[in-house]
């Protein structure tokens, strides 16, 4: 299990956590390293256990999932956060994505699809359903950031286009015949130049401004 994806479960319902743990523990490449019943406990355990992926509920007593995401970003935690939500909580998904979530799944997701989603966000992908991506784009101010596109080099535009296509750094490196370290540098420069917080925002910015791989 040395190379297993370490997962932290954050949900206030013990039954939900138990169900998730029961399924995930039979996956050869996934290890559940801890559980938390609210956002504050989740943030604390993330710092202690250093998970690769956090499965985060949104609606929880005390600190909710959105605030927990903000705290994790403030702490510059490396974990990728996958929001687990219900259909009735969909309106809260956009604030969660803006707070740094790598994507979201519904609580009735097929177990195999959940394992696939965990692997996907761990690999650096962003999981967005079309209606949510559209809602995020429509909330952006018209023309915001358009002038910043000119600050990107041609290589940075290529990298940004591949981010918009959902490619992870390893895939981008392979596609452009670069090292992963070089790709990481390009991604950091893109985020700095466009004043964006993460890959999710970069992907949405690229879609809005017509940049694709």
């Amino acid at each position: 299990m040395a190379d297993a994806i370490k997962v932290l479960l954050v949900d206030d319902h013990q039954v939900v956590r138990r169900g998730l743990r029961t399924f995930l523990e039979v996956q050869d490449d996934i290890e559940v390293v801890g559980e938390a019943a609210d956002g504050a406990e989740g943030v604390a355990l993330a710092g202690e256990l250093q998970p690769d992926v956090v499965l985060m509920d949104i609606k929880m007593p005390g600190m909710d999932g959105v605030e927990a995401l903000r705290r994790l970003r403030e702490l510059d935690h490396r974990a990728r956060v996958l929001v687990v939500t219900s259909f009735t909580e969909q309106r809260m998904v956009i604030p969660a994505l803006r707070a740094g979530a790598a994507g979201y799944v519904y609580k009735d997701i097929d177990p195999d699809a959940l394992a696939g989603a965990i692997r996907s966000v761990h690999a650096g992908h962003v999981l967005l359903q079309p209606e949510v991506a559209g809602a995020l784009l429509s909330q952006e101010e018209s023309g915001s950031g358009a002038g910043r596109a000119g600050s990107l080099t041609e290589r940075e535009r290529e990298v940004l286009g591949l981010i918009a296509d959902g490619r992870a750094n390893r895939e981008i490196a392979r596609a452009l015949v670069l090292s992963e370290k070089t790709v990481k540098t390009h991604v950091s420069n893109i985020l700095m130049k466009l004043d964006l917080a993460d890959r999710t925002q970069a992907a949405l910015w690229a879609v809005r401004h017509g940049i694709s791989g």
Side-chain angles (χ1 to χ4, degrees):
M1 297 286 283
D3 296 325
I5 302 169
K6 296 188 292 184
V7 175
L8 172 64
L9 308 176
V10 184
D11 195 295
D12 61 315
H13 291 99
Q14 185 177 10
V15 173
V16 173
R17 298 198 309 271
R18 185 179 301 157
L20 290 170
R21 177 183 280 274
T22 298
F23 169 72
L24 294 176
E25 284 184 338
V26 304
Q27 304 298 311
D28 292 336
D29 59 341
I30 296 175
E31 177 188 4
V32 177
V33 295
E35 300 179 21
D38 58 43
E41 185 181 8
V43 172
L45 282 179
E48 177 184 339
L49 301 173
Q50 295 297 305
D52 300 306
V53 176
V54 178
L55 291 187
M56 180 84 74
D57 189 15
I58 292 183
K59 291 183 67 176
M60 293 180 287
M63 184 188 295
D64 65 15
V66 175
E67 181 58 29
L69 275 156
R70 293 190 183 113
R71 296 288 180 88
L72 287 172
R73 189 161 71 179
E74 288 171 1
L75 294 170
D76 198 24
H77 199 281
R78 68 181 182 85
R80 303 274 286 168
V81 179
L82 182 61
V83 167
V84 184
T85 184
S86 69
F87 285 98
T88 58
E89 297 165 352
Q90 188 179 33
R91 63 182 176 80
M92 300 180 69
V93 169
I94 291 178
L97 292 170
R98 290 194 181 283
Y104 73 98
V105 294
Y106 290 124
K107 288 187 175 180
D108 63 352
I109 187 174
D110 177 81
D112 289 330
L114 175 61
I118 290 171
R119 296 181 185 110
S120 182
V121 298
H122 178 250
H125 296 293
V126 175
L127 295 181
L128 289 180
Q129 293 190 9
E131 68 273 15
V132 171
L136 274 167
L137 291 172
S138 68
Q139 287 188 8
E140 296 291 335
E141 293 181 1
S142 176
S144 64
R148 294 197 295 269
S151 67
L152 299 177
T153 67
E154 186 59 34
R155 179 63 84 189
E156 288 166 352
R157 289 178 68 89
E158 290 178 324
V159 171
L160 180 57
L162 291 171
I163 290 174
D165 288 345
R167 305 284 191 93
N169 284 352
R170 181 175 300 176
E171 295 171 314
I172 295 173
R174 189 160 50 240
L176 299 180
V177 196
L178 300 171
S179 70
E180 281 192 65
K181 183 177 181 180
T182 299
V183 171
K184 288 180 181 178
T185 299
H186 284 314
V187 172
S188 295
N189 289 339
I190 290 166
L191 297 180
M192 179 184 66
K193 288 181 178 181
L194 300 182
D195 192 23
L196 301 173
D198 52 41
R199 295 173 73 95
T200 303
Q201 291 185 9
L204 290 167
W205 192 97
V207 171
R208 181 176 182 84
H209 297 287
I211 298 175
S212 60

